[in-house]
Amino acid sequence: MTVLGVSGDTVSKQRKFKEKYDLPYHLLADVDKKMCEVYGVMKEKSMYGKKYLGIARTTFLLDKDGNIVHTWEDVRPAGHAEEVLAEIQQNS
């Protein structure tokens, strides 16, 4: 199984984040947001009354051929890893 994290942050910011939280997986930098656009996770957001286009926290579970088999939208970190693991075990 391969786990990848993708964000719009720079490689250096991701490196610091990975080290801070001792993450055991790779992080991919999508600074130009091209991957985010392909996967449809660029959404209108609002902060302090101002609207802007941002990345919606989303998880995709892909099969061995790269097909999306499950999607979680509006992800909250707490408990999410367990939820994804349960789905992986169910689909194995």
Side-chain angles (χ1 to χ4, degrees):
M1 174 176 30
T2 302
V3 176
L4 300 172
V6 181
S7 78
D9 291 330
T10 63
V11 172
S12 62
K13 282 186 180 181
Q14 287 183 334
R15 185 179 308 112
K16 289 177 188 174
F17 184 81
K18 182 176 180 168
E19 289 171 359
K20 180 178 180 179
Y21 294 102
D22 194 30
L23 300 178
Y25 51 85
H26 298 290
L27 298 178
L28 304 177
D30 187 24
V31 179
D32 60 6
K33 314 288 190 294
K34 288 184 179 182
M35 184 182 292
C36 290
E37 289 174 10
V38 168
Y39 278 88
V41 297
M42 296 301 296
K43 305 288 181 181
E44 185 177 272
K45 295 182 169 192
S46 180
M47 184 182 290
Y48 305 116
K50 288 191 159 202
K51 294 187 180 200
Y52 66 98
L53 196 60
I55 301 171
R57 190 174 284 172
T58 309
T59 299
F60 297 98
L61 178 61
L62 304 158
D63 66 14
K64 63 180 178 168
D65 298 319
N67 301 306
I68 298 172
V69 295
H70 197 90
T71 303
W72 292 265
E73 297 179 347
D74 301 317
V75 171
R76 303 279 187 254
H80 184 57
E82 293 80 9
E83 186 179 15
V84 173
L85 183 57
E87 185 68 29
I88 290 169
Q89 290 170 337
Q90 182 178 343
N91 284 302
S92 296

